[in-house]
Amino acid sequence: AQAGLAVGLSLTLTRRLPSIAAPVNTILLSSVMIFEIVGPILARRSILKTGESRPESTPADLVIG
């Protein structure tokens, strides 16, 4: 969702301030690309490291008792 907002901001900037749009768009879209690649990798690593990915009980244990 944030990537879509950044692209929309980039398009709005291009229309309203074309004189500074090129360098700002480069920085903005590059940062979006980096965060979209690195973010999920680091989130997975953090979840695995904290042990949040291991279920406390299986769904069958909850039903059976």
Side-chain angles (χ1 to χ4, degrees):
Q2 291 180 354
L5 181 64
V7 170
L9 176 64
S10 174
L11 291 172
T12 301
L13 179 69
T14 301
R15 286 187 210 136
R16 291 188 182 206
L17 299 169
S19 61
I20 64 166
V24 174
N25 283 342
T26 301
I27 294 168
L28 184 69
L29 297 177
S30 297
S31 65
V32 167
M33 184 180 69
I34 290 169
F35 286 125
E36 288 293 320
I37 293 171
V38 175
I41 294 169
L42 293 179
R44 181 179 187 273
R45 182 178 174 201
S46 298
I47 290 168
L48 291 174
K49 192 172 186 176
T50 60
E52 292 291 323
S53 64
R54 287 183 232 120
E56 293 179 15
S57 60
T58 61
D61 290 341
L62 295 175
V63 174
I64 296 172

